[in-house]
Amino acid sequence: AYEMLRTLGGCSADELETIFKEWNKGALDSFLIEITGKILGQKDNIAKNNKSMVEVILDQSGSKGTGMWTMEEAARRGVPAPTIA
């Protein structure tokens, strides 16, 4: 829901915070909806720019290669590693 509302709906993090908090008051009342609303409400206190943390944190991750090494070793030994592949 978050990605659809953000991307397709053009909602800001502040708008999404309000939406998730409202959802948590009704039929969608759950721990995940509750913490999502709280997360969306967190502001960047370090830069003091009042931006939402979800707008500041980059959506990227790096790879150390350990998954590839594991798959190569599994292939070399002829053993399955389905949870990694």
Side-chain angles (χ1 to χ4, degrees), residues 30-80:
S30 72
F31 175 70
L32 293 177
I33 298 292
E34 177 186 356
I35 64 169
T36 301
K38 289 181 179 181
I39 290 168
L40 290 166
Q42 294 298 308
K43 301 295 183 194
D44 182 2
N45 296 326
I46 296 171
K48 301 201 186 311
N49 57 16
N50 204 34
K51 282 189 175 181
S52 175
M53 284 301 293
V54 296
E55 295 172 351
V56 175
I57 296 172
L58 298 177
D59 185 20
Q60 65 183 33
S61 64
S63 173
K64 295 180 183 177
T66 53
M68 182 61 74
W69 297 335
T70 303
M71 291 309 302
E72 289 172 355
E73 187 64 20
R76 188 177 69 73
R77 293 178 183 228
V79 296

